[in-house]
Amino acid sequence: MVHSLDGRDLGRVRVLGAKAPETGRPGCHAEEATATRAELLEDQPVTLTVE
């Protein structure tokens, strides 16, 4: 979940350029991708750009 600097809920965002396999498909490595994303991004400040 993403929040603005003033605390508003902005919902979910997609990280461009990141592999994001679907869960529930055999051999798709979704768990590993989720763990890597969490390690890199959770609790880290990020800048969002609207395209």
Side-chain angles (χ1 to χ4, degrees):
M1 192 62 65
V2 178
H3 304 281
S4 67
L5 292 176
D6 63 5
R8 289 179 295 134
D9 178 6
L10 300 177
R12 297 176 70 167
V13 297
R14 179 179 299 255
V15 178
L16 298 178
K19 299 280 186 186
E22 293 184 33
T23 58
R25 298 180 75 184
C28 70
H29 306 287
E31 292 80 18
E32 292 91 340
T34 298
T36 299
R37 185 226 18 107
E39 183 180 315
L40 294 173
L41 297 175
E42 273 187 16
D43 298 322
Q44 298 296 317
V46 297
T47 301
L48 300 180
T49 303
V50 179
E51 292 189 348

